[in-house]
Amino acid sequence: MADVEERAQILIEALPYIQQFAGSTIVVKHGGSAMVDHELRRAVARDIVMMHFVGIRPVVVHGGGPRISAMMERLGIQPEFVRGLRVTTEQTMEVAQMVLVGSINKEIVSLINAEGGQAVGLSGKDANLIRTRKMESEADLGYVGEVESIDAGVLETLAASGYIAVVSPVGAGPKGESFNINADHAAAELAVAVGAAKLINLTDVPGILADPDDEESLISTLTLDEAQGLLGGEDIGEGMIPKLESAIRAVEGGVPRAHIIDGRIPHASLIEVFTDRGIGTMISADPSTDG
Ligand SMILES: Nc1ncnc2c1ncn2[C@@H]1O[C@H](COP(=O)(O)OP(=O)(O)OP(=O)(O)O)[C@@H](O)[C@H]1O
Ligand SMILES: [Mg+2]
């Protein structure tokens, strides 16, 4: 087949997926660990712009774990984690906000804009998008917040006007204090609040691994029950715990499918949304249905 015909064929193969998802929201969580190089970040930005121009409403939520840790170390503060969550002192909170809202958010916004999108960066504080309260847990995690409520009005307004929202996982507490929210948890609550068709979590592993030391041990589909069963087990380590919780929360909250995929693969989210190739781990109430 001539080269141009092949290209047309590839484009037309995306048609059923474009028809399925046009008009719906897809929440993409871009993990800090998957932001390994500029070309990869640019590919993610292009995927987002592509989704936007075929009529999908993408909402980006980003993490920034490694960048926050690097900045803390530069300032002589030792990062500490409990069950994948960063212990957040007042000083750490200041650093986290600076890196997430000041640096990473604006970098993603600029990349999307450079690809022809119109991105607007927000933190959870803006227009009360994410009201936050202190997360209570056995260990005192300091300013680690959990989502109290979402007011998705600003996301609706932005999407309706053709803007792409990029959200930093920082929220305000009842007294206006800042809280650091795990980006996976924030993405799930946002996906539920906007009634997303999918939650895609881009990370730095192929998906959920049955054995975290073996990249070949990918679990490709999980039902809610199976996902909950895994959560307590010792094979789900730090980092993957909030992701699994996030996927469970999203699906329980009515998001049909949550995906944890390898953000190191260029255009991973395009492959996920627009082809019949299932990549990574898909969590759904009923995984027998495809897509
Ligand atoms: N069973 C498992 N399967 C896959 N990965 C696992 C598992 N258990 C633990 N992990 C770890 O989870 C990590 C991903 O979580 P991590 O929080 O580091 O990245 P991220 O959430 O994508 O980035 P950020 O926190 O900056 O948003 C993997 O790099 C891996 O080391
Ligand atoms: Mg993480």
Side-chain angles (χ1 to χ4, degrees), residues 49-81:
V49 171
M50 172 91 175
M51 284 185 210
H52 171 79
F53 280 102
V54 299
I56 295 170
R57 294 175 162 202
V59 171
V60 182
V61 182
H62 64 86
R67 292 270 293 274
I68 299 169
S69 296
M71 182 59 85
M72 287 172 69
E73 277 158 22
R74 268 165 71 184
L75 297 169
I77 317 166
Q78 190 55 46
E80 201 188 316
F81 292 89

Side-chain angles (χ1 to χ4, degrees), residues 16-26 51 54-57 274:
Y17 300 99
I18 295 173
Q19 286 169 324
Q20 183 180 355
F21 294 112
S24 57
T25 303
I26 294 184
M51 284 185 210
V54 299
I56 295 170
R57 294 175 162 202
F274 296 112

Side-chain angles (χ1 to χ4, degrees), residues 100-199:
L100 291 168
V101 184
S103 301
I104 299 177
N105 187 282
K106 296 309 153 199
E107 284 168 22
I108 297 174
V109 163
S110 306
L111 282 168
I112 292 174
N113 293 348
E115 297 303 327
Q118 297 259 65
V120 174
L122 302 164
S123 79
K125 294 177 179 177
D126 291 278
N128 293 317
L129 178 57
I130 309 175
R131 285 188 207 271
T132 314
R133 60 170 173 249
K134 183 178 165 71
M135 182 185 278
E136 299 300 342
S137 70
E138 277 167 49
D140 185 2
L141 300 170
Y143 290 92
V144 170
E146 60 185 13
V147 176
E148 171 145 315
S149 63
I150 302 275
D151 182 344
V154 68
L155 297 183
E156 290 294 331
T157 305
L158 289 174
S161 307
Y163 296 105
I164 299 169
V166 179
V167 182
S168 291
V170 169
K175 300 190 201 78
E177 67 276 50
S178 300
F179 280 105
N180 175 19
I181 313 159
N182 178 275
D184 300 321
H185 291 157
E189 297 298 337
L190 289 169
V192 170
V194 299
K198 269 182 195 294
L199 167 61

Side-chain angles (χ1 to χ4, degrees), residues 164-246:
I164 299 169
V166 179
V167 182
S168 291
V170 169
K175 300 190 201 78
E177 67 276 50
S178 300
F179 280 105
N180 175 19
I181 313 159
N182 178 275
D184 300 321
H185 291 157
E189 297 298 337
L190 289 169
V192 170
V194 299
K198 269 182 195 294
L199 167 61
I200 299 178
N201 199 320
L202 295 173
T203 187
D204 65 344
V205 280
I208 300 179
L209 305 171
D211 170 1
D213 297 321
D214 177 8
E215 293 222 343
E216 304 288 297
S217 68
L218 175 70
I219 303 173
S220 44
T221 56
L222 284 172
T223 62
L224 267 183
D225 284 350
E226 289 166 342
Q228 261 142 355
L230 266 183
L231 200 52
E234 52 191 40
D235 289 328
I236 304 300
E238 303 231 333
M240 197 45 70
I241 296 170
K243 255 177 264 303
L244 192 51
E245 289 170 344
S246 158

